[in-house]
Amino acid sequence: MNTAMEKEALAQILDQAVQDVTECTAGVRLHQGEQSPGEDLCTVQITFDRGFHTSLTLCADKGLLYRMACNSFHEDSVSPEDLEEFTKEYFNVLCGRIAGSMFQATKVPAHFGPPVFYHGRYEPEGREIQFVLTYSNEHFGGAQLIHHVPSSDKDGAVSGEA
């Protein structure tokens, strides 16, 4: 296994992807901040199963995701099923953008499984948090993008296979 990227460089790639994809797909501007999501949360999670041995989790206020889905669908309201489908597709696009940026930076091809949606907060088993990026928008909806590494990985870098 090779060390692919330091966490500061990875955090910058993740942040840029979150801001660009969120504004482009959902018309919502997110800014890094201190406000954590509230109690009414949804979580979507993926695991990189080739290239990198990490996972990403997005925990967000349901109201923020609802607003993003309405904007994306050009509707005044969406059903709970539509909210779940939007959230999974949004995260799939976001992770695709991240995988592409990671490939440009490291030349390590990555693959991730389909996004999994949860009501409430979800923490993947066998993983530990490497870092958290916290966001809010102008309406104070909060979100956190959490980068997880396997519990045994203590070196502070994202690992990849050539």
Side-chain angles (χ1 to χ4, degrees):
M1 230 185 289
N2 300 323
T3 298
M5 179 175 284
E6 294 300 320
K7 71 179 184 178
E8 292 79 14
L10 177 60
Q12 186 175 3
I13 286 173
L14 297 180
D15 177 52
Q16 190 65 54
V18 166
Q19 291 190 41
D20 292 349
V21 169
T22 305
E23 187 166 0
C24 189
T25 63
V28 173
R29 297 189 98 179
L30 294 178
H31 305 282
Q32 280 201 44
E34 299 298 316
Q35 181 175 344
S36 295
E39 296 296 317
D40 193 13
L41 299 173
C42 294
T43 302
V44 64
Q45 189 265 339
I46 63 98
T47 298
F48 285 93
D49 52 16
R50 275 184 287 181
F52 301 101
H53 302 286
T54 62
S55 61
L56 290 171
T57 304
L58 178 74
C59 295
D61 286 319
K62 192 178 287 184
L64 175 61
L65 293 172
Y66 186 83
R67 179 168 175 243
M68 290 168 58
C70 288
N71 287 354
S72 181
F73 295 150
H74 305 288
E75 299 286 342
D76 291 334
S77 65
V78 294
S79 69
E81 295 80 14
D82 287 340
L83 178 67
E84 179 176 337
E85 285 306 309
F86 165 79
T87 302
K88 290 191 296 189
E89 184 58 28
Y90 160 78
F91 202 57
N92 193 52
V93 170
L94 176 62
C95 291
R97 169 78 179 270
I98 290 167
S101 295
M102 291 293 297
F103 179 75
Q104 287 181 335
T106 65
K107 304 303 181 221
V108 175
H111 179 267
F112 54 89
V116 181
F117 181 86
Y118 302 91
H119 291 281
R121 185 175 290 275
Y122 171 80
E123 296 286 335
E125 291 184 27
R127 304 275 172 167
E128 63 186 43
I129 295 172
Q130 185 183 41
F131 61 85
V132 178
L133 300 176
T134 301
Y135 296 92
S136 62
N137 76 344
E138 65 274 9
H139 299 286
F140 305 108
Q144 290 181 322
L145 183 66
I146 305 164
H147 183 256
H148 292 93
V149 294
S151 294
S152 61
D153 187 4
K154 304 283 187 203
D155 66 1
V158 178
S159 297
E161 296 173 343

